mmCIF file of all heavy atoms in Angstrom:
data_model
loop_
_atom_site.group_PDB
_atom_site.id
_atom_site.type_symbol
_atom_site.label_atom_id
_atom_site.label_comp_id
_atom_site.label_asym_id
_atom_site.label_seq_id
_atom_site.Cartn_x
_atom_site.Cartn_y
_atom_site.Cartn_z
ATOM 1 N N MET A 43 -3.483 7.630 25.000
ATOM 2 C CA MET A 43 -4.492 8.026 25.968
ATOM 3 C C MET A 43 -5.890 7.671 25.485
ATOM 4 O O MET A 43 -6.742 7.263 26.268
ATOM 5 C CB MET A 43 -4.402 9.524 26.263
ATOM 6 C CG MET A 43 -3.183 9.936 27.045
ATOM 7 S SD MET A 43 -3.292 11.641 27.649
ATOM 8 C CE MET A 43 -3.360 12.540 26.096
ATOM 9 N N ARG A 55 -5.309 9.024 36.158
ATOM 10 C CA ARG A 55 -4.585 10.257 35.829
ATOM 11 C C ARG A 55 -3.203 10.154 36.427
ATOM 12 O O ARG A 55 -3.031 9.701 37.560
ATOM 13 C CB ARG A 55 -5.306 11.463 36.434
ATOM 14 C CG ARG A 55 -6.496 11.984 35.657
ATOM 15 C CD ARG A 55 -6.110 13.114 34.715
ATOM 16 N NE ARG A 55 -5.387 14.186 35.361
ATOM 17 C CZ ARG A 55 -5.959 15.302 35.832
ATOM 18 N NH1 ARG A 55 -7.253 15.482 35.741
ATOM 19 N NH2 ARG A 55 -5.214 16.246 36.379
ATOM 20 N N ALA A 56 -2.191 10.578 35.682
ATOM 21 C CA ALA A 56 -0.819 10.434 36.173
ATOM 22 C C ALA A 56 0.019 11.630 35.752
ATOM 23 O O ALA A 56 -0.312 12.355 34.813
ATOM 24 C CB ALA A 56 -0.200 9.136 35.652
ATOM 25 N N ARG A 63 5.804 16.964 27.213
ATOM 26 C CA ARG A 63 5.194 16.601 25.931
ATOM 27 C C ARG A 63 5.622 17.660 24.911
ATOM 28 O O ARG A 63 5.284 18.830 25.040
ATOM 29 C CB ARG A 63 3.679 16.564 26.066
ATOM 30 C CG ARG A 63 2.924 16.118 24.851
ATOM 31 C CD ARG A 63 1.436 16.269 25.069
ATOM 32 N NE ARG A 63 0.950 15.444 26.164
ATOM 33 C CZ ARG A 63 0.698 15.869 27.392
ATOM 34 N NH1 ARG A 63 0.869 17.159 27.708
ATOM 35 N NH2 ARG A 63 0.281 15.057 28.345
ATOM 36 N N CYS A 95 4.881 16.353 32.961
ATOM 37 C CA CYS A 95 3.895 16.036 31.924
ATOM 38 C C CYS A 95 2.727 15.268 32.528
ATOM 39 O O CYS A 95 2.916 14.266 33.225
ATOM 40 C CB CYS A 95 4.564 15.191 30.835
ATOM 41 S SG CYS A 95 3.461 14.690 29.489
ATOM 42 N N ASP A 96 1.509 15.736 32.256
ATOM 43 C CA ASP A 96 0.302 15.043 32.703
ATOM 44 C C ASP A 96 -0.184 14.091 31.621
ATOM 45 O O ASP A 96 -0.096 14.385 30.421
ATOM 46 C CB ASP A 96 -0.801 16.041 33.030
ATOM 47 C CG ASP A 96 -0.498 16.843 34.278
ATOM 48 O OD1 ASP A 96 -0.169 16.223 35.306
ATOM 49 O OD2 ASP A 96 -0.573 18.082 34.225
ATOM 50 N N GLY A 97 -0.716 12.961 32.052
ATOM 51 C CA GLY A 97 -1.247 11.984 31.106
ATOM 52 C C GLY A 97 -2.030 10.926 31.845
ATOM 53 O O GLY A 97 -2.648 11.196 32.879
ATOM 54 N N LEU A 98 -2.001 9.699 31.330
ATOM 55 C CA LEU A 98 -2.701 8.577 31.940
ATOM 56 C C LEU A 98 -1.727 7.435 32.184
ATOM 57 O O LEU A 98 -0.777 7.247 31.424
ATOM 58 C CB LEU A 98 -3.831 8.081 31.029
ATOM 59 C CG LEU A 98 -4.981 9.043 30.750
ATOM 60 C CD1 LEU A 98 -5.969 8.405 29.769
ATOM 61 C CD2 LEU A 98 -5.699 9.442 32.036
ATOM 62 N N ALA A 183 -6.263 17.797 22.620
ATOM 63 C CA ALA A 183 -6.941 18.885 23.331
ATOM 64 C C ALA A 183 -8.307 18.435 23.861
ATOM 65 O O ALA A 183 -8.686 18.765 24.996
ATOM 66 C CB ALA A 183 -7.097 20.088 22.409
ATOM 67 N N GLN A 185 -9.186 15.349 24.602
ATOM 68 C CA GLN A 185 -8.936 14.407 25.692
ATOM 69 C C GLN A 185 -8.613 15.148 26.977
ATOM 70 O O GLN A 185 -9.098 14.795 28.054
ATOM 71 C CB GLN A 185 -7.779 13.481 25.314
ATOM 72 C CG GLN A 185 -7.496 12.385 26.315
ATOM 73 C CD GLN A 185 -8.481 11.243 26.236
ATOM 74 O OE1 GLN A 185 -9.355 11.242 25.387
ATOM 75 N NE2 GLN A 185 -8.343 10.271 27.117
ATOM 76 N N PHE A 186 -7.812 16.194 26.871
ATOM 77 C CA PHE A 186 -7.464 16.973 28.052
ATOM 78 C C PHE A 186 -8.686 17.673 28.638
ATOM 79 O O PHE A 186 -8.819 17.781 29.857
ATOM 80 C CB PHE A 186 -6.383 17.993 27.710
ATOM 81 C CG PHE A 186 -5.010 17.395 27.583
ATOM 82 C CD1 PHE A 186 -4.795 16.042 27.761
ATOM 83 C CD2 PHE A 186 -3.919 18.191 27.286
ATOM 84 C CE1 PHE A 186 -3.532 15.489 27.652
ATOM 85 C CE2 PHE A 186 -2.651 17.654 27.175
ATOM 86 C CZ PHE A 186 -2.457 16.305 27.359
ATOM 87 N N ALA A 187 -9.549 18.166 27.767
ATOM 88 C CA ALA A 187 -10.764 18.820 28.250
ATOM 89 C C ALA A 187 -11.633 17.832 29.037
ATOM 90 O O ALA A 187 -12.178 18.172 30.097
ATOM 91 C CB ALA A 187 -11.548 19.405 27.081
ATOM 92 N N GLU A 188 -11.744 16.611 28.539
ATOM 93 C CA GLU A 188 -12.548 15.602 29.226
ATOM 94 C C GLU A 188 -11.928 15.214 30.565
ATOM 95 O O GLU A 188 -12.637 14.948 31.538
ATOM 96 C CB GLU A 188 -12.699 14.365 28.337
ATOM 97 C CG GLU A 188 -13.542 14.601 27.092
ATOM 98 C CD GLU A 188 -13.584 13.382 26.191
ATOM 99 O OE1 GLU A 188 -13.037 12.324 26.585
ATOM 100 O OE2 GLU A 188 -14.178 13.474 25.101
ATOM 101 N N LEU A 189 -10.608 15.174 30.614
ATOM 102 C CA LEU A 189 -9.909 14.775 31.833
ATOM 103 C C LEU A 189 -9.635 15.954 32.772
ATOM 104 O O LEU A 189 -9.094 15.771 33.853
ATOM 105 C CB LEU A 189 -8.581 14.106 31.481
ATOM 106 C CG LEU A 189 -8.668 12.793 30.704
ATOM 107 C CD1 LEU A 189 -7.284 12.352 30.248
ATOM 108 C CD2 LEU A 189 -9.322 11.712 31.548
ATOM 109 N N ARG A 190 -9.980 17.156 32.322
ATOM 110 C CA ARG A 190 -9.727 18.378 33.082
ATOM 111 C C ARG A 190 -8.238 18.557 33.364
ATOM 112 O O ARG A 190 -7.827 18.935 34.466
ATOM 113 C CB ARG A 190 -10.540 18.395 34.373
ATOM 114 C CG ARG A 190 -12.049 18.383 34.128
ATOM 115 C CD ARG A 190 -12.838 18.454 35.411
ATOM 116 N NE ARG A 190 -14.269 18.413 35.142
ATOM 117 C CZ ARG A 190 -15.210 18.438 36.090
ATOM 118 N NH1 ARG A 190 -14.855 18.511 37.372
ATOM 119 N NH2 ARG A 190 -16.490 18.392 35.765
ATOM 120 N N ILE A 191 -7.446 18.263 32.342
ATOM 121 C CA ILE A 191 -6.013 18.497 32.405
ATOM 122 C C ILE A 191 -5.719 19.840 31.748
ATOM 123 O O ILE A 191 -6.081 20.065 30.594
ATOM 124 C CB ILE A 191 -5.230 17.384 31.679
ATOM 125 C CG1 ILE A 191 -5.371 16.059 32.424
ATOM 126 C CG2 ILE A 191 -3.755 17.757 31.549
ATOM 127 C CD1 ILE A 191 -4.721 14.888 31.725
ATOM 128 N N ALA A 192 -5.098 20.730 32.475
ATOM 129 C CA ALA A 192 -4.741 22.040 31.935
ATOM 130 C C ALA A 192 -3.350 21.959 31.323
ATOM 131 O O ALA A 192 -2.382 21.626 32.010
ATOM 132 C CB ALA A 192 -4.778 23.093 33.028
ATOM 133 N N ASP A 193 -3.251 22.250 30.032
ATOM 134 C CA ASP A 193 -1.954 22.260 29.347
ATOM 135 C C ASP A 193 -1.902 23.515 28.485
ATOM 136 O O ASP A 193 -2.355 23.512 27.339
ATOM 137 C CB ASP A 193 -1.779 21.008 28.493
ATOM 138 C CG ASP A 193 -0.353 20.848 27.976
ATOM 139 O OD1 ASP A 193 0.204 21.848 27.493
ATOM 140 O OD2 ASP A 193 0.192 19.742 28.046
ATOM 141 N N PRO A 194 -1.371 24.606 29.027
ATOM 142 C CA PRO A 194 -1.350 25.869 28.291
ATOM 143 C C PRO A 194 -0.630 25.780 26.956
ATOM 144 O O PRO A 194 -1.008 26.463 25.995
ATOM 145 C CB PRO A 194 -0.625 26.826 29.248
ATOM 146 C CG PRO A 194 -0.810 26.220 30.611
ATOM 147 C CD PRO A 194 -0.809 24.743 30.383
ATOM 148 N N THR A 197 -3.019 24.284 24.399
ATOM 149 C CA THR A 197 -4.064 25.265 24.102
ATOM 150 C C THR A 197 -3.550 26.354 23.164
ATOM 151 O O THR A 197 -4.201 26.698 22.173
ATOM 152 C CB THR A 197 -4.585 25.901 25.403
ATOM 153 O OG1 THR A 197 -5.100 24.877 26.260
ATOM 154 C CG2 THR A 197 -5.692 26.910 25.111
#
Side-chain angles (χ1 to χ4, degrees):
M43 290 192 297
R55 279 266 307 265
R63 184 186 298 100
C95 179
D96 290 309
L98 296 177
Q185 185 77 3
F186 284 0
E188 292 176 5
L189 296 172
R190 298 182 181 179
I191 293 176
D193 191 314
T197 301

